[in-house]
Every structure is written in C-alpha cells, then in structure tokens.
C-alpha cells in the first residue's frame, strides 16, 4: 500500500495490527518489571504521542504520565544533529523510576542528550522504551534502552506519530520512503 506525504511517496512497512500486538507485549514487560513501583512514563513529544497513548492503556500497574518536548529533525529526512529543547519536565524526578518513551532511536544523540540532562536531577533509575530502533544508524551505545518495538534498516519512516514536514502523523501504520 503506497501513500503520498507532502512531496514524497511512502509504502507500508509495519501494519497497525503488528504494532498493536507488540505494544501489548511491551506493556506486559513493563508491568512485570516495575511491579510494586510507580514509574513515571515520559513521552518525548511530538512523535511518541500515539505509541505512549496505546502503551499506557495496556499497563496494569499504577504509573504517572508526563511529557518533554525535543526536536531534532526540523522537517527533513535526515538528522541535523541539532537538538532543540522545546519544553522540559514539570515534575520533581528525584528518586523516581523514569521510563522515557520515544518514537524512534536513530543516531541515539537525542535520547543521550535527554538522559544526561535528567541524570543531574538524581532520578532513582532511567530506562528507555522506543517503538522503533535503527541499529545501523546508532552512533553511541544507549545502555538505558530496555524496550524496543521493532528494529528497522536506515529508511526514513512516517506514520503512527512520526512526521514528514509535520504531515503523516495520523497514518495508522509505519510507512517507509520509496526510492
Ligand atoms: P536521533 O537523535 O536518535 O538521531 O534521532 C531521534 C529523533 O529523530 C526521533 O525522535 C525522531 O524525531 C527523528 N527521526 C529519526 N529517524 C526518523 C525517521 O525515520 N522518521 C522520522 N519521521 N523521524 C525520525
């Protein structure tokens, strides 16, 4: 199935049915791993909003949900290596178990930047949960990365929260750029 987003053509890579199944599995892992604790799930906006929403609905332990907003792509199809800090966490995370929820980890630079920033505030623990990971694009190890939905080759993707020029976030599955 092909779809047009702005000036680019994309084809279906991961259907929503597969995403739903994997999100339920990850939610079960988180519920088991954090049993007896109350983790703070931090959605990294904007790309993670649908993943976070579907994920938290399946988690069966008490959790808090909050957001931070970073941007690193600026509307293109490859990283600019610049990270823009749009807004910060508003809660005190000292001693808390933090789960950062990302749409995609590409070079790893954005999540590394955020982890370093949060560590200064002395959280009890920090782990990362990402829907998508491009292992071949990773430029640094991310030891905090504990939950990954799907691994992808280095294709540019949109859908299920991820955008191209702010469009395509509402596509139900993950679509990769054609050509
Ligand atoms: P990193 O800092 O790991 O290189 O990039 C992380 C951020 O870049 C993600 O949160 C996302 O905003 C953006 N990004 C990386 N790869 C893609 C992609 O294939 N599609 C889209 N839409 N954004 C991407």
């Amino acid at each position: 199935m092909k779809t047009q987003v702005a000036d680019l053509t994309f084809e279906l890579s991961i259907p929503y049915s597969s995403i739903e199944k994997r999100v339920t599995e990850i939610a079960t892992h988180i519920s088991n791993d954090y049993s007896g604790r109350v983790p703070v799930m931090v959605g990294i906006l904007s790309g993670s909003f649908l993943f976070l929403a579907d994920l938290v609905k399946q988690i069966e332990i008490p959790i808090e949900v909050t957001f931070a907003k970073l941007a690193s792509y600026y509307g293109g199809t490859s990283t600019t290596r610049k990270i823009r800090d749009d807004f910060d966490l508003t809660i005190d995370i000292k001693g808390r178990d933090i789960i950062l929820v990302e749409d995609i980890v590409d070079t790893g630079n954005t999540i590394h930047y955020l982890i370093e920033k949060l560590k200064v505030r002395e959280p009890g623990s920090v782990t990362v949960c990402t829907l998508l990971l491009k292992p071949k694009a990773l430029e640094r190890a991310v030891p905090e990365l504990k939950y990954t939905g799907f691994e992808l080759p280095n294709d540019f993707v949109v859908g299920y929260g991820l955008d191209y020029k702010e469009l395509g976030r509402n596509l139900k599955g993950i679509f990769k750029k054609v050509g």
Side-chain angles (χ1 to χ4, degrees), residues 10 44-48 70-74 76-83 102-112 130 132 134 137-139 142 152-159 161-165 167 169 175:
F10 291 82
I44 316 299
L45 295 173
S46 302
S48 73
L70 297 171
S72 62
Y73 249 74
Y74 299 97
T77 60
S78 65
T79 182
T80 59
R81 287 169 205 286
K82 284 193 205 133
I83 298 166
E102 260 283 28
D103 51 355
I104 186 162
V105 173
D106 182 6
T107 62
N109 288 321
T110 306
I111 202 70
H112 176 78
T130 186
L132 304 171
K134 295 181 187 170
L138 267 183
E139 292 180 1
V142 183
L152 294 177
N154 287 353
D155 299 316
F156 180 74
V157 293
V158 294
L162 289 102
D163 76 305
Y164 170 56
K165 295 186 174 174
L167 296 170
R169 295 193 196 276
F175 290 72

Side-chain angles (χ1 to χ4, degrees), residues 15-64:
Y16 185 63
S17 55
S18 305
I19 297 174
E20 269 185 312
K21 192 165 163 271
R22 189 71 189 117
V23 167
T24 303
E25 287 168 0
I26 295 172
T28 303
H29 284 147
I30 291 176
S31 301
N32 291 336
D33 292 350
Y34 288 86
S35 171
R37 295 188 273 168
V38 183
V40 181
M41 305 203 52
V42 181
I44 316 299
L45 295 173
S46 302
S48 73
F49 77 104
L50 288 178
F51 177 41
L52 181 81
D54 283 350
L55 186 63
V56 298
K57 282 183 278 186
Q58 307 284 341
I59 292 181
E60 287 168 354
I61 56 167
I63 52 165
E64 290 183 30

